Amino acid sequence: MRQPSNPVVRRAAKGAVMAGTAALTAVAVGALVKRRLDGPASRKPVLDPAPREDAE
């Protein structure tokens, strides 16, 4: 990947990448914490669909 020669642009790009990484990390940690706090009881059970009756 070609790096920009201007140090200001390089610094701005690095800041943008770091901000994006921090945002993704915050979302992932938030989801894990929410899942941990909710516990397994709050998860919806997987139910089998009702059997179909053949119309004759």
Side-chain angles (χ1 to χ4, degrees), residues 24-44:
L24 285 174
T25 303
V27 168
V29 169
L32 289 174
V33 168
K34 183 179 183 310
R35 203 168 135 192
R36 178 76 129 185
L37 290 176
D38 288 348
S42 67
R43 294 185 189 141
K44 293 180 182 177

Side-chain angles (χ1 to χ4, degrees), residues 8-27:
V8 175
V9 174
R10 198 174 350 176
R11 199 173 308 131
K14 183 178 180 182
V17 169
M18 290 179 72
T21 303
L24 285 174
T25 303
V27 168

